[in-house]
């Protein structure tokens, strides 16, 4: 199904008819796509864009000019095809409280917040809901009718749509409310409450200025929930032609103990923020190193000298023999890592 001129939705159902893991609104899944028998598989993560369900998942994919996965989904995937799909992942999810909710997105960044809107409508929340979205024009405005219908079921909801380049046929106050891009001044003018929970998703350029502006306006850091869409700088751990050696204990000591031994009882993920390359976790084609998004990109793959770990959640692809993934590991007793 086409949501707009450049966004296609897929509805995914289990092959064995068993219940799916019900996602939290805002989470994503990872697809392993196989464009051709002699081509490498593509791993791509996509936010769920439909109502939480144990019967089906919906994803909505933007076709980028040179995007291999988006083109494959748009032109080759057919009803009845079998795709490899992970369980839902991610921490960009709704907080359960009574504060107002502000759902802010640009372009294809609408997908996780549409899922949140579905969840809020399903529970018939009495919370104050703000839907604020930016698109180029009506031809690229995904979910427009769907969102309007959902908002009519929520008595305390408001909507504001920004078009950066409206078409001559686009109708002010009907298709959109404002020409231009959103900024903090717009939030002030509309009367958006700064003590709300803000859920913001979109391209990096959109995110950075808006989030900083909202923080400067007085929105508390712990009420700014964000999800970046778009790729970051290229990262190719393990590919560069560097000398290879097996994991080994380093020289020196720390308090009389080998410097590499960790006395850990919980997830190793916080360690990722103290490595020479902080926050090396991510989600494949989305760079989201500040989020708990695990087991996809292998940027945090690290040598395991001794000890053992379990994974929660399981990685989409296991690490190489003798290695572990910091982002989703839980140590089983003391372990030693080659950092």
């Amino acid at each position: 199904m086409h949501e707009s001129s450049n966004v296609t939705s897929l509805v995914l159902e289990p092959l064995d008819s068993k219940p799916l893991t019900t996602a939290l609104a805002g989470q994503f899944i990872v697809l392993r796509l196989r464009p051709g028998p002699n081509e490498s598989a593509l791993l791509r993560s996509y936010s769920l864009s439909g109502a939480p369900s144990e019967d089906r998942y919906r994803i909505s994919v933007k076709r980028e000019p040179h995007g291999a996965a988006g083109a494959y989904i748009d032109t080759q995937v057919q009803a009845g095809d079998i795709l490899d799909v992970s369980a839902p992942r991610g921490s960009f999810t709704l907080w359960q409280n009574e504060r107002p909710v502000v759902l802010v997105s640009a372009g294809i960044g609408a997908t996780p917040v549409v899922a949140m809107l579905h969840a809020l409508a399903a529970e018939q929340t009495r919370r104050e809901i703000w839907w604020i979205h930016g698109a180029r024009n009506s031809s690229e405005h995904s979910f427009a009718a769907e969102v309007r219908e959902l908002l009519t079921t929520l008595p305390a909801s408001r909507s504001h749509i920004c078009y950066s380049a409206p078409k001559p046929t686009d109708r002010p106050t009907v298709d959109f409310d404002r020409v231009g891009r959103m900024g903090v001044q717009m939030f002030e003018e509309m009367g958006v409450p700064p003590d709300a929970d803000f859920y913001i998703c979109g391209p990096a350029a959109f995110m950075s200025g808006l989030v900083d502006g909202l923080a400067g306006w007085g929105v508390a850091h712990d009420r700014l929930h964000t999800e970046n869409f778009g790729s970051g700088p290229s990262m190719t751990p393990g590919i560069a032609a560097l000398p290879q050696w097996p994991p080994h204990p380093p020289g020196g000591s720390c308090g009389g103990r080998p410097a590499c031994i960790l006395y850990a009882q919980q997830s190793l993920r916080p360690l990722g923020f103290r490595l020479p390359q902080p926050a090396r976790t991510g989600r494949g084609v989305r760079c989201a190193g500040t989020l708990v998004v695990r087991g996809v990109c292998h940027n945090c793959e690290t040598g395991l000298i001794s000890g053992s770990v379990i994974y929660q959640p399981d990685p989409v692809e296991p690490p190489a023999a003798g290695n572990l993934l910091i982002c989703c590991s839980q140590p089983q007793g003391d372990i030693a890592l080659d950092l």
Side-chain angles (χ1 to χ4, degrees):
M1 174 180 176
H2 285 92
E3 304 291 351
S4 66
S5 62
N6 57 1
V7 174
T8 302
S9 283
L10 298 181
V11 175
L12 309 171
E13 297 180 342
L15 187 62
D16 57 9
S17 301
K18 294 181 180 179
L20 296 166
T21 301
T22 302
L24 299 175
Q27 289 190 307
F28 67 94
I29 57 175
V30 182
L31 270 61
R32 183 189 288 112
L33 304 172
R34 304 181 187 277
N38 298 319
E39 297 181 44
S40 299
L42 303 174
L43 285 178
R44 296 293 187 268
S45 54
Y46 297 111
S47 292
L48 296 169
S49 60
S53 169
E54 63 178 19
D55 299 319
R56 62 186 58 84
Y57 295 149
R58 184 181 75 170
I59 60 170
S60 303
V61 181
K62 181 181 179 182
R63 181 169 181 173
E64 302 286 359
H66 303 290
Y72 173 71
I73 288 172
D74 187 33
T75 62
Q76 297 189 49
V77 175
Q78 303 293 322
D81 286 354
I82 298 173
L83 303 177
D84 296 331
V85 179
S86 77
R89 297 162 182 256
S91 62
F92 182 65
T93 56
L94 280 169
W95 285 26
Q96 296 302 313
N97 53 53
E98 297 304 316
R99 288 195 292 266
V101 175
V102 184
L103 304 175
V104 186
S105 60
I108 192 59
T111 50
V113 290
V114 165
M116 293 179 182
L117 188 61
H118 271 285
L120 291 164
E123 68 186 49
Q124 281 296 285
T125 183
R126 309 298 294 183
R127 297 166 71 179
E128 184 179 343
I129 308 297
W130 293 76
W131 176 267
I132 303 173
H133 179 69
R136 180 173 175 80
N137 49 48
S138 59
S139 66
E140 297 185 16
H141 185 179
S142 302
F143 314 110
E146 179 178 328
V147 166
R148 282 195 292 267
E149 183 175 351
L150 289 169
L151 291 173
T152 62
T153 69
L154 296 168
S157 65
R158 303 185 191 185
S159 172
H160 198 86
I161 305 299
C162 301
Y163 281 178
S164 60
K167 300 189 299 183
T169 54
D170 291 339
R171 300 163 295 174
T173 74
V174 177
D175 299 314
F176 68 101
D177 301 292
R178 182 183 302 246
V179 177
R181 304 182 186 278
M182 63 184 73
V184 174
Q185 183 178 353
M186 183 190 82
F187 286 73
E188 295 185 72
E189 292 172 356
M190 291 190 300
V192 175
D195 62 344
D197 279 321
F198 289 73
Y199 299 88
I200 310 171
C201 185
F206 160 78
M207 297 282 295
S208 59
L210 183 59
V211 171
D212 290 344
L214 289 171
W217 182 41
V219 180
H221 176 74
D222 62 357
R223 296 188 184 181
L224 287 169
H225 315 286
T226 61
E227 179 89 305
N228 280 357
F229 273 28
S231 59
S234 177
M235 300 177 71
T236 55
I239 295 177
L242 297 174
Q244 299 295 313
W245 53 83
H248 61 285
S253 63
C254 181
R257 301 187 179 103
C260 60
I261 291 185
L262 303 176
Y263 297 86
Q265 300 300 322
Q266 299 179 351
S267 171
L268 292 180
R269 189 174 187 278
L271 179 65
F273 295 90
R274 293 190 288 271
L275 292 175
Q277 292 180 316
R280 291 190 303 158
T281 54
R283 59 185 291 178
V285 296
R286 296 189 194 152
C287 179
T290 58
L291 299 174
V292 185
V293 287
R294 309 170 185 172
V296 178
C297 67
H298 285 231
N299 284 323
C300 64
E301 187 166 340
T302 301
L304 177 63
I305 297 172
S306 65
S308 63
V309 300
I310 60 173
Y311 289 109
Q312 292 183 353
D314 289 333
V316 174
E317 297 283 356
N323 290 353
L324 57 72
L325 300 180
I326 286 176
C327 66
C328 52
S329 296
Q330 293 194 353
Q332 303 299 288
D334 297 340
I335 65 172
L337 302 181
D338 183 21
L339 300 179

